Amino acid sequence: MLRLLSAVSAWAILAAAPAAALTAPELWESWQATLGRYGATLTAESEDYSGGTLRLEGIVAEAPAVGDAEPSTTRYGALSLVEVDGAVRIEPPAQLEIETTSGGETSALVLEHEGLDYTVREEDGAHVYDGAAARLSYTIDDVSEGDSEAPVPMTLTLSDVASRTRLGADDRYEGTFSGGMRIEATSEGMPSFTLDYALAGIEGTASGTLPDPGALAGDPAAAPERIAFDLDTEVTHAGGRTALQGTGPQGPFAVDGSSGGGRIAVALSPEAMGYEVSSSEMAITLTRPGLPLPVNLSLAEANVALDVPLAADAGLQPYAMRVLLEELAVDETLWALFDPTGQLARDPATLELAIDGEAEVLADLFDPAAMEAMAGSPLLPRTLNLAALLVRVAGAELRGTGALQFPGLPANPMPLGTATLELDGGFALLDGLVALGFVPPQQAALVKGMAGAVAQPVGDDALRSDLEFTETGVLANGLPLPF
């Protein structure tokens, strides 16, 4: 996978580097200058400029070692830069072979295209890259790691592509993208498999600032204020599908899935990082050895969001996390495997957890030396708010809220604050598990007895516990916990 990223990222640098002018030679020189800022070189074995066209043969990009990454050499073959109506059109051959060597290993990527139109022009002091293509196809010879027993070739195809990138002299950029995507991969090792994955109706936006070259290369002279990069990107799609078939040590298996719309958003700056991924209307059919029939699963919505502070020695900073799995439903085939007599309710399950608070950042997460010197976590929470807790499964429902402080961290992790937990249908679920033989009756009786000690009845099979975390211990409904 590292070799794949190296090959693709090298081509991306060529395609998105800032243009200094609208003549072909100056565009080529600007690419060379851009890579030079990052310690890399870009050369061509031959350059032929005539009639407004610069023909480049034997293009080679050489990148130095950065951090743990090995130095790499990428060969692009030929490329033409054509001056058309005040713009420069980038014309790769119908089949562009890109070969990257790094750490003694070589990977190959082949770009094929149909209806490609990619131009660079100047607009209000910025440089604008406009691209469109009916099809862009990237074929990689092996996306597995070097110790895999068989290569795993992969093809990434983008269809009906439209993109625009605007890059200013201050290294600020804005970009948009639309199109469809399909990934196909095959492995003849063990397990052997074929994968076909597609996303439709992709719409993406991105904006930010390119990182400082000295800071990116680990230059000791690069002060933290020079690492002024930021990234804000959002990608939505109209739906996806997955088809996976293969054979493993236990026999054949298959996964067929589909989803409705989804979203991925990433925000990154020296101060904070944010991440969110969501999808809706998911359905999966699973076939595997040991299951007599295919199993069907569905999920109404899945969402994971995370906000993490990054600025060291900046005092208290906010953080947040949310996980949502809504209405996970299992068909009767799977229920019948472990509950043939219908002891448990078949209602769809839901899990929701949302927390937020304030934390201290004790070390620069972008400084490898500082991270290695840390004996514990670089993030030290000082407050934690339980904004939502919901677990709904097999007829039972657990809800919770709370607010805690951690004044004694890191020496004393005991919190101070309050929390409230409510449980409906818990005893009925426990009785069902006893009837199925999953829980011994003696253990069930012990659980019910402990529940009576820490919670109070508030209705038919309904319990509530008000927890108070103090400096001397934990109280449940005003009484010390018995354990």
Side-chain angles (χ1 to χ4, degrees):
M1 181 62 72
L2 291 176
R3 291 184 286 132
L4 164 64
L5 294 176
S6 176
V8 173
S9 61
W11 165 251
I13 289 175
L14 285 180
L22 296 177
T23 67
E26 291 177 338
L27 174 59
W28 170 242
E29 291 172 3
S30 74
W31 287 353
Q32 293 175 308
T34 298
L35 287 180
R37 291 176 59 201
Y38 292 92
T41 60
L42 180 65
T43 60
E45 295 178 358
S46 66
E47 303 178 19
D48 181 13
Y49 178 58
S50 62
T53 297
L54 176 61
R55 175 71 177 175
L56 303 168
E57 298 278 356
I59 301 173
V60 178
E62 295 186 275
V66 177
D68 296 332
E70 298 278 351
S72 64
T73 299
T74 303
R75 303 182 184 278
Y76 293 92
L79 190 69
S80 294
L81 305 179
V82 183
E83 299 166 4
V84 179
D85 298 330
V88 177
R89 187 168 64 218
I90 303 170
E91 295 185 352
Q95 186 177 82
L96 177 65
E97 297 184 3
I98 304 172
E99 183 180 272
T100 299
T101 301
S102 178
E105 296 184 358
T106 299
S107 62
L109 181 151
V110 177
L111 168 63
E112 297 177 291
H113 56 86
E114 294 178 3
L116 176 64
D117 185 7
Y118 198 50
T119 60
V120 187
R121 59 188 173 85
E122 186 174 359
E123 182 181 273
D124 299 330
H127 296 94
V128 179
Y129 288 71
D130 283 307
R135 180 181 66 89
L136 292 173
S137 179
Y138 301 86
T139 301
I140 301 96
D141 62 350
D142 184 12
V143 295
S144 64
E145 297 298 336
D147 57 354
S148 62
E149 64 178 78
V152 181
M154 184 190 81
T155 299
L156 167 63
T157 302
L158 304 176
S159 57
D160 300 323
V161 176
S163 68
R164 168 170 288 192
T165 302
R166 179 185 178 91
L167 184 57
D170 57 354
D171 285 342
R172 289 289 302 173
Y173 64 89
E174 298 176 353
T176 61
F177 172 87
S178 63
M181 180 185 74
R182 183 178 183 183
I183 296 176
E184 299 170 277
T186 302
S187 172
E188 297 181 356
M190 181 54 67
S192 61
F193 67 85
T194 59
L195 170 67
D196 190 346
Y197 173 75
L199 281 180
I202 299 174
E203 300 282 345
T205 62
S207 62
T209 305
L210 297 178
D212 177 88
L216 193 65
D219 183 358
E225 57 267 20
R226 291 179 58 196
I227 314 177
F229 70 91
D230 62 274
L231 168 68
D232 191 352
T233 182
E234 179 182 23
V235 178
T236 61
H237 65 85
R241 61 173 178 81
T242 302
L244 173 66
Q245 295 87 31
T247 302
Q250 286 77 41
F253 62 88
V255 178
D256 290 292
S258 63
S259 71
R263 174 178 180 268
I264 299 175
V266 178
L268 180 64
S269 73
E271 290 76 33
M273 176 185 68
Y275 171 81
E276 182 177 2
V277 58
S278 63
S279 189
S280 63
E281 301 175 359
M282 290 171 285
I284 299 175
T285 298
L286 173 65
T287 303
R288 55 160 295 174
L291 296 180
L293 295 172
V295 173
N296 297 304
L297 309 175
S298 64
L299 188 63
E301 182 181 356
N303 179 276
V304 176
L306 183 67
D307 291 296
V308 180
L310 301 177
D313 302 322
L316 294 179
Q317 303 171 70
Y319 71 90
M321 181 184 74
R322 181 173 187 255
V323 177
L324 173 65
L325 301 175
E326 186 173 14
E327 294 189 4
L328 172 62
V330 180
D331 69 2
E332 197 62 31
T333 302
L334 186 57
W335 277 112
L337 290 178
F338 62 88
D339 184 18
T341 59
Q343 298 293 327
L344 305 179
R346 264 54 167 169
D347 302 335
T350 292
L351 167 66
E352 181 180 10
L353 174 65
I355 63 174
D356 60 70
E358 292 183 322
E360 294 182 55
V361 181
L362 304 181
D364 184 357
L365 276 68
F366 294 100
D367 186 345
M371 294 300 296
E372 290 180 4
M374 287 293 300
S377 171
L379 296 177
L380 192 64
R382 287 300 182 183
T383 65
L384 186 152
N385 299 315
L386 180 59
L389 170 63
L390 174 62
V391 181
R392 185 183 296 128
V393 59
E397 181 174 296
L398 173 67
R399 302 176 300 277
T401 57
L404 303 175
Q405 298 179 352
F406 300 88
L409 286 176
N412 181 12
M414 288 299 294
L416 300 177
T418 60
T420 298
L421 299 177
E422 296 177 306
L423 176 63
D424 297 338
F427 288 164
L429 173 58
L430 186 59
D431 291 339
L433 295 175
V434 171
L436 292 172
F438 295 153
V439 177
Q442 299 84 352
Q443 292 186 9
L446 178 62
V447 170
K448 290 182 178 180
M450 293 177 60
V454 300
Q456 57 184 354
V458 291
D460 185 19
D461 199 1
L463 301 173
R464 175 187 172 104
S465 183
D466 293 311
L467 303 176
E468 184 179 357
F469 298 83
T470 70
E471 295 179 352
T472 58
V474 181
L475 305 179
N477 302 312
L479 298 176
L481 288 179
F483 46 83

